[in-house]
Structure formats: C-alpha cells, structure tokens
Amino acid sequence: MNANAFCSVMDRQQYRQFLFSLDWLGYNMPYLAVVGCGQAATGQKIKAEVRKRFPGLLCFEQWQDSDDFARAFSVAPGSTVLLDFQKQDKKLTDAQVAGQLLFYRDKAVGQRLQLICLTSVRQFDAIHREAFDFMAAASFVHAFGESRQAIPAHQHLTIAKTTTINE
C-alpha cells in the first residue's frame, strides 16, 4: 500500500517502519504493535494490508466485557491476531481496555502471539497512560494522527536509560 495515500508527511516514515516491522512476523517470535488511527479510513487500510499479508489472520472486533479479551488471548500459540478497538462498544471504557491489555501482556508474549492492536488516537493515549508496560513491550508503537503522547513508549525507556547513565 502506498503510504502517501493516507498518511501525513510526518507519518509516512513511521508507516514504512510499521510495514517493515511486519516482516518479523515470519520468524515465529512474539510481536506486538499498537497503532493509533486518527481516521477510521486509516485503520481500514492498515487492516486490509495486514489481511493481505497474513491470510490466516484472526480478527477480533467485538469488545463488550472481559470474556471477549479471554477469547482473543486464548488462540493457539504463535497465532497472528488483529485486535480492532476502533469500533468497540462503549460498554468498556478506554481505561478498562488498557487494563485488560496489561493483564494479558505476559500471556501474549509467553504464547508467542503476534498481535496488532488498532485503536483510535484517544484509546492510544489511554493505553499509553494506563498500560505503559504493555506499550513498552511493543515492537511497534505509533499514532497516525494527533496524539498527546509524542514519544512512543520504547523511546521513553531509552531516554530514561540515557539520562541515568549520563548523570
């Protein structure tokens, strides 16, 4: 997919990095991407690209309670899973979604799941705030749109380590 079709100039490089990071899914290693989408069309285009690359993709789009998360994280080890929170019912708050993702983080890594989480930018910010450990474990973190979290989680960790070493 052409990144110019829907990304701003600043997001084009990040989108190319996201596509490059998808190549790691072929190595049967755990993978986690948290992608905030400023527009529904952006999320749909990303979802279409991922489905094209991974025909066996499992997609979960309905989020009404914690049982939905249990089902999504009970897939076979090594599965490629897309968790789409963009159209989620408002039965769960963004903080509850973040809490569930944090709760299942170790299971996802332990079972070598390859997760791609599509969120709205508002949800992306909530997950960043409420489930920082989930974001820190991610292979790719970026919001395509206006986000209050300017620096992805893994870059926060790098900055913190650099500051500690230099002091």
Side-chain angles (χ1 to χ4, degrees):
M1 176 182 354
N2 182 358
N4 296 333
F6 69 96
C7 293
S8 69
V9 172
M10 292 176 58
D11 285 339
R12 286 182 191 147
Q13 182 178 5
Q14 288 296 324
Y15 185 70
R16 284 187 211 104
Q17 287 179 348
F18 170 67
L19 293 178
F20 177 75
S21 77
L22 291 176
D23 292 342
W24 288 100
L25 274 66
Y27 296 104
N28 199 27
M29 297 290 290
Y31 173 87
L32 172 61
V34 183
V35 182
C37 303
Q39 299 176 6
T42 303
Q44 293 305 315
K45 290 177 183 181
I46 290 172
K47 189 188 298 187
E49 177 69 21
V50 173
R51 280 188 169 152
K52 183 175 78 175
R53 285 183 177 214
F54 306 100
L57 177 75
L58 301 171
C59 189
F60 294 88
E61 299 175 329
Q62 301 297 317
W63 308 100
Q64 296 183 11
D65 56 32
S66 60
D67 291 342
D68 294 325
F69 284 89
R71 278 189 285 282
F73 284 91
S74 295
V75 297
S79 296
T80 302
V81 181
L82 185 125
L83 308 177
D84 188 352
F85 298 108
Q86 297 177 97
K87 299 182 216 169
Q88 72 138 357
D89 251 340
K90 284 301 165 192
K91 293 183 180 186
L92 294 175
T93 66
D94 294 338
Q96 289 171 317
V97 169
Q100 290 293 313
L101 291 174
L102 185 58
F103 180 79
Y104 284 105
R105 182 202 62 203
D106 291 340
K107 184 172 185 174
V109 173
Q111 290 195 13
R112 298 179 332 277
L113 296 181
Q114 299 172 334
L115 297 175
I116 300 166
C117 301
L118 292 180
T119 70
S120 67
V121 173
R122 186 190 77 252
Q123 292 165 330
F124 178 89
D125 288 342
I127 293 168
H128 196 284
R129 207 175 35 254
E130 304 288 330
F132 184 79
D133 289 352
F134 184 80
M135 294 286 235
S139 306
F140 180 85
V141 175
H142 186 71
F144 295 99
E146 292 295 320
S147 169
R148 284 185 270 162
Q149 306 301 331
I151 302 174
H154 62 279
Q155 289 181 9
H156 283 304
L157 295 175
T158 304
I159 291 168
K161 288 177 187 173
T162 303
T163 305
T164 305
I165 292 169
N166 291 336
E167 287 180 349

